[in-house]
Amino acid sequence: MAKEELLEFDGTVIEVLPDGNYRVKLDNDHLILAYAAGKMKKNRIRTIAGDRVVVEMSPYDLDRGRINFRQKTAGPGPMPPRPQNFRRR
């Protein structure tokens, strides 16, 4: 059990960096470095620039955080399946 509770902030991904790191601008105009949580990596949830995310931060280090949720956007749904263009024998 943690000594201190984690702080949660909403923000927007500004830049995608190598090794699963992201530059996130929080709603209170702070820029932080964040990484994707293990469940997001396991389930292959992709995060791109412009996505709204929820970031958990420790009260001891307010410059780094962990992205634990990517909010759904109102964009297009999943792509329809491609037609099969090969001949079966």
Side-chain angles (χ1 to χ4, degrees):
M1 184 172 189
K3 292 181 182 179
E4 296 288 330
E5 292 294 321
L6 296 175
L7 305 172
E8 284 194 352
F9 294 102
D10 291 334
T12 305
V13 175
I14 300 298
E15 183 181 5
V16 179
L17 302 171
D19 295 333
N21 290 320
Y22 303 92
R23 179 95 42 215
V24 177
K25 183 174 185 178
L26 302 178
D27 290 344
N28 58 8
D29 293 331
H30 283 92
L31 285 175
I32 65 165
L33 183 66
Y35 63 93
K39 288 279 187 175
M40 290 183 67
K41 289 181 186 175
K42 178 183 172 190
N43 294 318
R44 295 188 178 123
I45 296 174
R46 301 288 182 221
T47 305
I48 59 173
D51 283 348
R52 296 283 299 163
V53 293
V54 176
V55 178
E56 286 183 345
M57 297 172 61
S58 168
Y60 299 112
D61 186 9
L62 298 176
D63 293 331
R64 289 190 52 87
R66 175 177 54 225
I67 298 174
N68 65 349
F69 185 76
R70 182 181 61 90
Q71 299 187 6
K72 294 181 170 75
T73 58
M79 294 184 65
R82 294 174 140 187
Q84 299 294 331
N85 291 334
F86 61 92
R87 196 172 103 199
R88 292 193 174 179
R89 293 182 182 190

